[in-house]
Every structure is written in structure tokens, then in C-alpha cells.
Amino acid sequence: IDMSRFEGSRIVDVACGAAHTIAMDDQGRLYSWGFGAYGRLGLKNNKDQHQPEPIEIFHEEPPPPNPDLPKFMQRQVPKIRAKKITCGGTSSFAVVGEPFFSLYMWGITKKTGEAFMYPQLSANVSGWRIRSVACGNTSMIVASGRTLITWGSSPTYGELGYGSGEGIAKSSTVSKKVEDLEGAICEQVAAGLSHSLAIVRMDDPKGPKIVEKLPVHDPDEVQDLLRESKPKAAKKKKSKSKKKKRRRRRRRRKRKRKRKRKTKVLMILKMRKIRRRRQQLQQKRISEAQEMLSMMKPFIRVLQEERPDWKN
């Protein structure tokens, strides 16, 4: 990389997408390079860049004041400088600093959507003061105030946090609140290819109450890693560790039983729905047949009168 392209500034943050990179200097100015399809570099074109290029909007200086106008008539335009950056598979995002704390995006987040060749304000979170932002492949997670906002096009694998079950959408092209964390202050968010993470402030009075209601993700693989990383305990503490293991096993068994019960109940409900549907279809067919017979009776009588040999 040609370091002279950074204009002598100090780079403080870097974000990488599937095939492009965004860098931010200590003044909030942005540079981009890599694969330029869908405008993910924010340079107003689709060209690939092999060296860092400045993104214009984050380098512009406000116009000087007009000495011919009084101060109250002069419009002060603040600088647009980034505070945080993140990249998706084919898109890029930046949170600007004071006084806006708004979100700019460029590129494309869904195949059927419109591609933005240069940074534009994101309509999904307009009016929100952004604290933290993260981007997966096509999914977005934003922390603002006491609200966690996510959106992303299909397919998604639960990274949007909308929950699971009948009637609950797994994906959304429009921003939605994560109801399970509504009211909590999310200090920081992060996203991977198909998962999301959020750090909740526990010194806030609402934080512990909301976190206690959430289910605990405690897979066996994590427990095995924790056991391997812990130093071996003394002989006297072996009995306590055995008791803890037994408790954990009991908890896991209880959880498995609950899951099995839930699946059984869901299967029973589904079978009932299928039976009801079949009964309704049978009743419809019978009623239709009866209607046809009632409509055919007068014709049959006429035929029987005209042709007596047809009575049998």
C-alpha cells in the first residue's frame, strides 16, 4: 500500500468486507480500496482500486463564511467526519460524529435492491442517535439509546434476533426493534457471517432484569473448552467440582426434556389441524354431491316419464 495516499494522517480503524477495505484516520476521514462492484467503495463508480482512494464526502471542508452577510444569515455547515466504520459483503457503513450521530451507507445489502455509488444517509435509522453499528454478510445491527435495531434480507439464520416460532419473520428489509432487548442499553454490537453479539450495560437498573429473562446459550463445546483452559484444581476441591458437574448434567437433561415436550405438543397441534382440514374437505365434497343430486332430480323424473324403460 502506498502510504502517501493517506496524506500523512494516522490510521486508527480498518474494516474489511468480502473483497474491499475501508480505513479511517484520526480526523474521521475515510479511504477505500478493493473490488468496486455495486459502489461498495463509495467513489461514485464501479471501478476496482488497487490503492487507497479518499471518499469525497468525508474529506470535504465547509465553505468559508461570507463577509458580506451578517452572522445570523450565514448557514454553518459542519464537517462530515466518521467515528465508526463497518463493512458487509457488498456494502459499507459509517457513523458520523457530532452533531448528527447518523448512519451513512453505500453499496448494496440485497440483490434485488438499489446500489448506492456514494455515501448516503440510511433511511432505516433516520432520526436515531447511533452508538454502535455492525454488519454481517447482508444483515445490519445498530445500537441506539435503549433500543437495538436490526434488518437484513433473506436468507438469515437468527442473527436479527426476532425470535423463532410460527408467524415470526426471520428476515426483514425494513428496520425492526429487537423486542427481547428493548429498554436495555447496548454498549457495543458485533456481527459475523450468520450471528450477532451485543454487550449490555449491567450498571443500568434495567439491564440485569432484561438479561435474566433471556435464555442462556451454554453448548457442550464451550464447557469442554472452559474445562481445558482452567488449571487443574487441588485434590480437596474435587468433590465440589463433581457436584457442579452433576448439577450441570441435571440442568441439561431438564432442558432436553422441555424441548422434547415442546416438539411433541407442536406435532400434536399440527396433526389436529390436518385432521380438521381433511374433515372440512370431506364435508364440502359431500355437500357438493348432494347439491348436484338435487339439481339432477327434475331431469331424471322427466327422463323416467318419457322413457319408462329407464326407471330401473
Side-chain angles (χ1 to χ4, degrees):
I1 295 174
D2 186 5
M3 298 302 291
S4 63
R5 291 178 176 266
F6 294 120
E7 304 172 3
S9 57
R10 184 169 61 92
I11 301 300
V12 295
D13 196 6
V14 175
C16 297
H20 73 291
T21 304
I22 305 291
M24 181 178 70
D25 65 10
D26 53 359
Q27 297 180 26
R29 298 178 297 186
L30 300 186
Y31 304 84
S32 63
W33 65 98
F35 187 47
Y38 303 113
R40 70 190 76 182
L41 299 180
L43 303 176
K44 300 181 180 181
N45 55 51
N46 288 324
K47 295 180 181 179
D48 300 342
Q49 300 295 335
H50 300 282
Q51 292 292 339
E53 293 291 337
I55 300 175
E56 184 179 352
I57 191 171
F58 296 101
H59 287 255
E60 289 178 347
E61 294 291 336
N66 189 349
D68 299 330
L69 293 174
K71 287 184 178 180
F72 71 91
M73 292 182 67
Q74 292 182 8
R75 185 183 175 186
Q76 294 182 354
V77 180
K79 296 179 183 179
I80 298 175
R81 296 292 184 264
K83 289 293 181 183
K84 295 177 183 178
I85 54 173
T86 185
C87 291
T90 56
S91 57
S92 305
F93 295 82
V95 179
V96 300
E98 294 181 358
F100 305 110
F101 289 99
S102 53
L103 183 66
Y104 279 77
M105 72 86 61
W106 55 99
I108 191 170
T109 55
K110 59 177 182 177
K111 293 180 181 179
T112 57
E114 183 182 359
F116 298 102
M117 297 292 124
Y118 57 91
Q120 296 187 23
L121 283 168
S122 177
N124 284 312
V125 288
S126 60
W128 293 88
R129 289 175 66 87
I130 310 301
R131 182 184 298 108
S132 181
V133 62
C135 185
N137 187 28
T138 57
S139 302
M140 282 297 304
I141 178 170
V142 174
S144 175
R146 292 183 177 272
T147 302
L148 190 67
I149 306 164
T150 59
W151 70 92
S153 58
S154 181
T156 56
Y157 305 94
E159 65 266 28
L160 300 181
Y162 299 150
S164 59
E166 293 183 0
I168 298 174
K170 292 184 179 180
S171 62
S172 174
T173 55
V174 182
S175 58
K176 288 185 179 180
K177 296 179 182 179
V178 179
E179 297 297 337
D180 289 341
L181 288 173
E182 183 63 21
I185 298 174
C186 294
E187 193 67 29
Q188 189 176 355
V189 294
L193 183 65
S194 56
H195 70 283
S196 302
L197 301 169
I199 299 173
V200 178
R201 286 185 61 176
M202 300 301 285
D203 56 352
D204 181 67
K206 291 185 179 181
K209 295 178 183 178
I210 293 169
V211 171
E212 284 174 2
K213 295 178 183 178
L214 299 174
V216 178
H217 182 61
D218 189 18
D220 297 335
E221 293 84 357
V222 175
Q223 292 297 327
D224 295 336
L225 290 170
L226 290 172
R227 286 169 198 159
E228 291 174 3
S229 62
K230 285 181 180 178
K232 292 182 179 180
K235 291 181 179 179
K236 293 180 180 178
K237 295 182 180 179
K238 277 187 178 180
S239 59
K240 291 183 179 179
S241 62
K242 286 180 181 178
K243 287 179 181 178
K244 287 181 180 178
K245 287 178 183 178
R246 287 172 188 169
R247 288 174 187 171
R248 287 171 185 167
R249 286 172 188 169
R250 287 173 189 170
R251 289 173 186 169
R252 287 172 193 165
R253 287 171 189 169
K254 285 181 181 178
R255 288 172 190 166
K256 286 179 181 178
R257 287 171 190 167
K258 286 180 181 178
R259 288 171 189 167
K260 286 180 181 178
R261 287 172 189 168
K262 285 181 181 178
T263 52
K264 284 181 181 177
V265 170
L266 290 171
M267 288 297 292
I268 290 165
L269 292 171
K270 285 181 181 178
M271 291 299 293
R272 285 179 181 174
K273 285 181 181 178
I274 292 165
R275 286 173 187 170
R276 287 174 188 169
R277 184 63 179 168
R278 285 178 181 173
Q279 289 176 357
Q280 289 174 358
L281 289 170
Q282 286 177 357
Q283 289 176 358
K284 280 184 181 179
R285 287 171 184 171
I286 291 165
S287 62
E288 286 175 359
Q290 289 175 352
E291 287 178 2
M292 289 292 292
L293 282 170
S294 63
M295 290 172 68
M296 292 293 292
K297 277 181 181 179
F299 297 103
I300 292 166
R301 287 174 187 170
V302 171
L303 288 169
Q304 286 176 352
E305 289 174 0
E306 292 179 357
R307 302 286 296 273
D309 55 334
W310 283 12
K311 288 183 180 180
N312 297 326

